[in-house]
Amino acid sequence: MTYTPSDAIGKANLIMDLAAQRNRALSSNVANIDTPGYRRKDIDFGQYLGSMNSPMETELTTKLGPSAVIESIGSMDIDPAYELAEMQKNSMIYTIATRRMSNLVTEMKTVINVGK
């Protein structure tokens, strides 16, 4: 299989989309700390990143592991400190993906300018 820049852009885009969705879920958890019956929500990056064959995705999956489960099992209590720590992890993932996207765009600009 040939690796193309559009594949890399698609992967970086997917990671940014997942990070944005996860941030929505985590912020919803914090916003609903006192809501009776609210169940914690999260997005499992592992099911998406594990299928990609890129060192960045493999390293993220290995170091961070799955982000959690869609709903918490057991207690419905939400720990604000945990949620904020997860938001910081999520922010790092988003930053890495945006830097990767920026590097890809720079590489494409360089190729275009060299071809002139």
Side-chain angles (χ1 to χ4, degrees):
M1 180 175 183
T2 308
Y3 183 74
T4 64
S6 64
D7 293 339
I9 289 172
K11 288 178 181 181
N13 187 45
L14 174 63
I15 293 171
M16 288 189 298
D17 286 346
L18 287 170
Q21 290 293 334
R22 183 164 192 238
N23 200 55
R24 285 187 198 100
L26 294 172
S27 61
S28 178
N29 294 340
V30 172
N32 287 291
I33 284 177
D34 295 324
T35 303
Y38 180 82
R39 296 191 61 90
R40 184 178 181 281
K41 296 179 182 161
D42 205 341
I43 293 176
D44 181 2
F45 274 52
Q47 69 181 357
Y48 297 100
L49 298 180
S51 64
M52 296 181 170
N53 296 320
S54 167
M56 180 177 83
E57 290 88 4
T58 303
E59 187 174 334
L60 284 173
T61 304
T62 303
K63 286 187 177 181
L64 299 177
S67 300
V69 292
I70 299 301
E71 287 188 2
S72 63
I73 298 174
S75 174
M76 287 188 274
D77 294 338
I78 296 172
D79 179 10
Y82 176 80
E83 297 299 325
L84 294 174
E86 290 300 306
M87 288 174 122
Q88 287 179 328
K89 281 185 193 177
N90 196 54
S91 176
M92 290 188 316
I93 291 170
Y94 190 83
T95 299
I96 290 168
T98 56
R99 286 183 183 168
R100 178 66 182 137
M101 184 70 81
S102 178
N103 289 341
L104 289 168
V105 170
T106 300
E107 288 173 15
M108 290 187 334
K109 284 181 182 178
T110 301
V111 169
I112 290 168
N113 288 331
V114 169
K116 288 184 180 179

